Amino acid sequence: MLLGGACQGLMVSIDGILADHLSLLEVCFFVHAIGAVLLLLHIFIRGGGKIRLGGAPLYVYFVGIMGVALVTSSSFCANRVGAALTMAVSVFGQMAASALVDHYGMFGVPVVRWSWRRLPPYLLILAGLGLMLW
C-alpha cells in the first residue's frame, strides 16, 4: 500500500501536467487505456488469455466510474491547489467513505463499528489540511 500510495502521489502530479495539454476526460482516457493495455498483456501472457466476467454482483462493475472520477478530479485539482493538498483532501475523503462502509458493513465487508476513539486521526488530518491552507 505504501508503494501504491507513492504511485498515486506521483500520478496526481503527472496527470496535472498532462491536463495542461489535454482535456480532463482525455487525461482519464490515457490513464485507463494504458492501464487496460498493460493488464490485457499480463492476462494473455500469464493467465492464458481468459477473462471471466460473472459471479460478482452487477454493481461492482461500476467501479470503473469511480476510477474515472478519481483521475479526473485529481487531475483537475493538482493544477489548482498542488499535488500534496489534493492528496491530503483525497485521504480524508477515503477515510470518511471507508468508515461508512466499515460501520454499516456495506458491500458485504465485515462490520467495524465507528467509535469516538477513531476521531483523533480524522481531526489530525483536518488540522493538517488547515495548516496546508493557512
Side-chain angles (χ1 to χ4, degrees):
M1 286 308 305
L2 187 59
L3 178 60
C7 287
Q8 188 177 10
L10 294 171
M11 185 183 83
V12 164
S13 300
I14 294 168
D15 287 350
I17 294 167
L18 194 55
D20 284 338
H21 304 282
L22 303 171
S23 75
L24 292 174
L25 292 180
E26 289 170 331
V27 171
C28 196
F29 172 79
F30 270 103
V31 168
H32 288 91
I34 291 168
V37 167
L38 292 173
L39 289 170
L40 285 170
L41 283 172
H42 175 76
I43 289 168
F44 286 113
I45 291 169
R46 302 282 304 213
K50 294 182 181 178
I51 299 175
R52 291 180 296 234
L53 296 176
L58 184 59
Y59 66 86
V60 301
Y61 295 104
F62 291 101
V63 72
I65 294 170
M66 291 177 222
V68 169
L70 175 65
V71 171
T72 304
S73 63
S74 64
S75 299
F76 177 82
C77 292
N79 277 350
R80 286 156 180 80
V81 299
L85 185 56
T86 297
M87 292 306 301
V89 172
S90 176
V91 166
F92 187 79
Q94 290 171 38
M95 289 173 62
S98 298
L100 285 173
V101 169
D102 284 348
H103 183 76
Y104 293 106
M106 297 163 69
F107 314 116
V109 303
V111 172
V112 179
R113 296 281 180 213
W114 193 86
S115 71
W116 290 105
R117 291 181 327 169
R118 293 180 172 224
L119 185 59
Y122 291 88
L123 295 176
L124 189 60
I125 295 287
L126 283 175
L129 285 171
L131 287 172
M132 291 176 86
L133 290 169
W134 180 41

